[in-house]
Structures are given as structure tokens and as C-alpha cells.
Amino acid sequence: MIYNIALLKGDGIGPEIIDSAVKVLEKTAEKFGDKFNFKPYLIGGAAIDATGQPLPQETVDGCLESDSVLLGAVGGYKWDNLSGEQRPEKALLGIRSALGLFTNLRPAKLYPALRNASPLKDEVVGNGFDIMIVRELTGGIYFGDRGYRQGKYGTEAYDTEAYSVTEIERIGRVAFETAVKRNKKLCSVDKANVLETSRLWRKVMHGLSEEYPEVEYSDMFVDNAAMQLVRNPRQFDVIVTSNMFGDILSDEASQITGSIGMLASASIGGLGEKPLSCRNDSEGKAQINGVPPFKNLGSKISLYEPIHGSAPDIAGKDIANPIAAILSGAMMMRYSFGRNDIAECIENAVDKVLEKGYRTADIAEKDGEYIKCSEMTERIVEFL
Ligand code: NAD
């Protein structure tokens, strides 16, 4: 297969780690007989320096013409004094909205080899855990009606949360499909004992669960979920939740893994108003290895990126951990292209490199040995 991938390297360590991800993907192309056409576009500070804008139109057009987008990170000291609209980070919101990305997939995986990096006790993390948080990204209280008004006690500020059936259903489908591709367990997190939006959320999720009998479905209140993540993270496979709850829980989950240099993410791309129906693909193209990739959920282009930022403190020193970017490439293969074969090959190579004891500085034991970003990339390529 031929895949056209837009590369947004960005700033700081962005170019180093995206180059690593490209090397890994190119090696898999050799191995599996595929071809990647990588096309770089400017974003963030690099784009400001070259064009005066953090997100040039050419970048947006290039992403829209591609099959998928791989992003490094944006931002850095040089642009810290610019005002809001001109800052490199503005490009992130811009590209997410241009692609209509309504779902964020954030894995929180603790590798057995990195058990000591987790702040949780050994008996809690056991042999590691592997959770996927599916967060709604374009609705809810962050996008609701807001403002100031006169209330009972004088001036008050307010924010409101609204969710439509369509918004809940489309993210619900992504979550169920994600669970189907993983260990077939889905926990929907809400606050249905208090919030009306949560009660609708729960109703729609229950409806969907009947379409996915193979998925073991459960509900959990968000306060309990926050506790359970640190008490017994191994109980979770996939968690689906609203924008604000997902914002908070996904950061909590990433912290219990101990290293942000290891964590990838995906933002799943745009849909029209049409409710999704991934299981009746009229052209019959949806099933690849028995699993429909998200492209056939009616979505267009998705964006994959490490969860960390541009790390300007270590940029250009060849000491960044490239694994989050490399695993973002693996997520792209699985979720945009249905290529579990390539995704597993990359993930297994990362596992083996860690089991062999190779570490970059951020995940090395105190006073332990570590290798450079470029060498870590070479080791992973060798194990593919
Ligand atoms: P950061 O994630 O860039 O760095 C936090 C700490 O983690 C730093 O000490 C850094 O050296 C380390 N770190 C991050 N990634 C690493 C990796 N792959 N390997 C080894 N160590 C790593 O967050 P920050 O310092 O708050 O932000 C720096 C810049 O990045 C800011 O300009 C911020 O706005 C921007 N940012 C961009 C994104 C994005 O592009 N998606 C996300 C967050 C922050």
C-alpha cells in the first residue's frame, strides 16, 4: 500500500523525534512491502520565522490532502513573548479545528521494564498496565455557552455543558471500536448521578453497547474513576469520557506511567453531521484484518503526536526520548490504516529494546547508563 503522510516537525525536539519516527516507519515499509510518501510542512515557531504565521495555509492544505498527519511539537523560548494569536501553540488549535478532530486517544502504558518509573507501589502496578483513554475533544463545557451575569450574590461567571446524541454517539463508536481492537473492555466515565448531560451520555453509550456484545461494558462515576486509576489501574482497558473529565483523567493516567517521553496520542478526524455507522460500509472496504480502521468510520484525516511538548531545554542535544513519536507512528498504522501488523511490529521492537535495558536519559535509573536519541532509534530499527 502507498500512504501519504504529512509531517509537521515543529520546534525544539520536534524535528529530532519525527526523524526517528520516519526512520522506523521506512524500515517497516521495506519489511512489509509498503511505501510512505512523507511530505514536511511548517508549523509553530519554525513557521513563524519563515512566513510570519504559526499555521500557514499551505500546511493546512497539505494536511487535508494527506492520508494522515504526524506532528512533533511546537513552541520554545524564542517565541515566548509573542501575544496569544501569534504564538506557536495557536497552530495546534488551528490544525485540530481544520481537521475537525473530535476524539483524543491517549494511551497510558506502563512497560514492565519501566516499573520503577511509576510513582505507584509495586503491588499496585504489578507487571505494568495498558490503558487507552478516549476523550471527547470538541464539545462539552469547554465549548459551551459562557460569560458573566448578575446572580443571587452579584456578578457571577458561568460555563455550560451541552452534548448532543450525535456527539456522544460518534465518540462512543470510536471507543467501542477501540475496545474491539484491544482487550474488549470499555468503561464509560460520567457524573450521571448529578449531570443531565451525563445521563444522556450514559443512555447513548448503553444503546451502543447492544451493538457491541463482544465488548464488556461498564459505567463509572468520574470521582470513583480518579480513585480507581491510582488504586487499581490494571482493571482498565479502554475508558471513554467527556472533554473535561478526559482532560483531567488522561493527565492523571499519564503521570502514573512515570515518563512523558514514552506516551503517544491520536486525535481522530472530522465528520459531518451524519451519525456514524461503521458496520455497514457499502463499498465493502471497511474490514481490514476483520477490523475497520477509523477512516471508514466516516472520518477523514487523523493526527498523531507525542503527548509531550517541544522540550526546548534539551533540543538539539540528541538526548530526547524518541519513543513517544515512534509509538505515535504505530498508532497511525493501527487506527488510520488498520495495519495492526506494522503497529505490532513497532510496539514489539520498543518492548524488546526496553527489555534489553536500553534507556534514554529521561527513563534511565538514577546514575544509570543511557544512550542518545539517534542510538535509541537505531536499536529500535534493528529489532523491527
Ligand atoms: P515539555 O513536555 O516540552 O517538557 C517538560 C519536561 O519533560 C522537560 O524537562 C523536557 O525536557 C522533558 N521532556 C519532554 N519530552 C521529552 C522527551 N521526548 N524526552 C526526554 N525528555 C522530555 O513541556 P513544557 O516544558 O511545559 O513546554 C515546552 C514548550 O512546549 C512550550 O513552548 C509549550 O508551550 C510547548 N508544548 C507544546 C505541546 C505540543 O506541541 N503539543 C504540548 C505541550 C507543550
Side-chain angles (χ1 to χ4, degrees), residues 13 73-76 89 92 260-261 305 308-314 320-321 362:
I13 60 170
V74 299
E89 292 82 356
L92 297 174
I260 60 170
E305 59 183 318
H308 60 72
S310 58
D313 51 334
I314 57 167
N321 185 346
D362 59 314

Side-chain angles (χ1 to χ4, degrees), residues 91-206:
L92 297 174
L93 291 179
I95 194 66
R96 285 174 190 149
S97 117
L99 298 177
L101 305 171
F102 67 86
T103 301
N104 190 227
L105 259 64
R106 283 258 299 249
K109 179 167 172 171
L110 176 65
Y111 291 82
L114 297 181
R115 237 185 5 205
N116 290 344
S118 173
L120 301 183
K121 286 182 185 158
D122 274 359
E123 62 261 35
V124 174
V125 296
N127 236 354
F129 52 82
D130 182 358
I131 305 167
M132 178 71 81
I133 300 197
V134 180
R135 168 188 169 195
E136 202 286 328
L137 210 53
T138 53
I141 197 163
Y142 290 177
F143 291 87
D145 192 22
R146 70 193 53 202
Y148 285 83
R149 63 188 171 199
Q150 285 308 308
K152 196 170 155 195
Y153 301 105
T155 304
E156 64 183 19
Y158 67 96
D159 300 278
T160 51
E161 168 146 304
Y163 267 117
S164 64
V165 171
T166 301
E167 287 172 296
I168 302 170
E169 190 188 332
R170 68 183 182 179
I171 187 156
R173 284 200 187 280
V174 173
F176 277 99
E177 293 293 334
T178 305
V180 167
K181 291 183 173 99
R182 290 171 45 101
N183 292 325
K184 300 187 175 54
K185 259 181 92 176
L186 176 64
C187 177
S188 172
V189 171
D190 61 33
K191 191 71 184 163
N193 49 346
V194 178
L195 300 175
E196 209 56 59
T197 41
S198 281
R199 284 193 270 272
L200 179 64
W201 181 280
R202 196 173 271 214
K203 191 172 159 201
V204 174
M205 290 294 167
H206 280 221

